Amino acid sequence: MTAPDNARNTKVMNRFDVTSRLVKKLTREEAVIGGIGNTNFDLWAAGHRPQNFYMLGSMGLAFPIALGVALAQPDRRVFALEGDGSLLMQLGCLSTIATLAPKNLTMILMDNGSYQITGGQATPAAGVADLIAVALGCGISNGAWAADEEDFERLIDQSLAASVPTLIGVRIDNKPGVGATRRDPVQIRERFMMGLGVRQAL
Ligand SMILES: Cc1ncc(C[n+]2csc(CCOP(=O)(O)OP(=O)(O)O)c2C)c(N)n1
């Protein structure tokens, strides 16, 4: 059995372009969590905002961190960006998110079918594993592959009105991220907490 056709009939997009399209839509101090490596590099390059958090070092934590933020601040829209290799390492978060079901959470999977940043080794998502199908099986009922950039933007808009969490799958090319966050975890955390209004500047 191979991955369903809907995973294969999508346009191959570019992570920086798609991330920039998302960032352009943000006007309400939405939180955005970038995963390890390329997802957070491109989030940074798309234009830093105080409500951005950039994960360093650990794969698979963008969605779990975003879940925590979404539960803690239900009136704020929370976005999360994660690579396929990272999500594969942390699949359990999908069923947890489906169970807790914060409707203010929009997750974006950047699927290049590889561990791009460590040398482009193929992930199972390049062949047999359809991560949107996996998520649907975990109970994420509002999950879909974006057909192209316009469809991506439509799915983002649709997620804002959804009554359950959303997962949008984007097939992307293998280009590396175009920016680089300063690797200072304490600064990243403090800046984010100030951006969310839960920490005052010293
Ligand atoms: C537990 C663990 N294993 C391996 C690594 C090394 N590592 C860092 S990023 C990465 C690949 C991430 O792949 P993906 O999430 O698909 O993002 P991409 O690089 O393709 O953008 C790997 C293997 C790590 N940081 N942690």
Side-chain angles (χ1 to χ4, degrees):
M1 198 165 154
T2 55
D5 281 351
N6 66 344
R8 304 286 167 239
N9 288 341
T10 54
K11 181 177 170 190
V12 175
M13 294 172 255
N14 174 263
R15 183 180 41 241
F16 176 64
D17 175 63
V18 169
T19 305
S20 300
R21 286 168 187 267
L22 169 68
V23 169
K24 278 202 192 88
K25 285 181 176 286
L26 306 179
T27 57
R28 306 186 60 210
E29 301 195 350
E30 300 88 341
V32 187
I33 319 298
I36 181 175
N38 288 317
T39 48
N40 88 52
F41 293 171
D42 279 345
L43 176 61
W44 173 267
H48 174 66
R49 307 162 52 256
Q51 295 79 28
N52 288 0
F53 182 82
Y54 309 93
M55 187 62 212
L56 302 175
S58 299
M59 295 168 70
L61 289 187
F63 292 178
I65 291 169
L67 170 64
V69 176
L71 292 174
Q73 298 199 339
D75 294 331
R76 187 188 301 272
R77 171 61 43 177
V78 181
F79 293 92
L81 309 165
E82 191 66 288
D84 55 301
S86 294
L87 181 58
L88 280 161
M89 192 166 272
Q90 189 65 275
L91 282 180
C93 74
L94 294 172
S95 54
T96 303
I97 291 166
T99 301
L100 297 171
K103 65 180 183 183
N104 56 324
L105 175 59
T106 305
M107 299 167 282
I108 300 162
L109 169 68
M110 299 289 190
D111 186 351
N112 53 12
S114 76
Y115 304 100
Q116 196 275 336
I117 204 166
T118 50
Q121 304 88 350
T123 72
V128 294
D130 177 339
L131 287 173
I132 295 295
V134 170
L136 293 174
C138 286
I140 302 286
S141 56
N142 196 30
W145 288 100
D148 56 20
E149 291 84 354
E150 267 181 33
D151 194 39
F152 170 77
E153 294 200 22
R154 185 188 64 79
L155 289 167
I156 291 285
D157 294 344
Q158 186 229 61
S159 78
L160 305 180
S163 57
V164 290
T166 297
L167 175 62
I168 303 170
V170 183
R171 289 183 68 213
I172 57 164
D173 59 34
N174 62 3
K175 294 209 174 70
V178 301
T181 327
R182 189 170 156 217
R183 291 185 68 85
D184 184 337
V186 173
Q187 183 196 45
I188 290 171
R189 184 196 64 203
E190 294 297 305
R191 205 171 44 194
F192 181 62
M193 290 181 77
M194 283 189 262
L196 294 196
V198 294
R199 182 90 96 218
Q200 301 304 312
L202 292 174

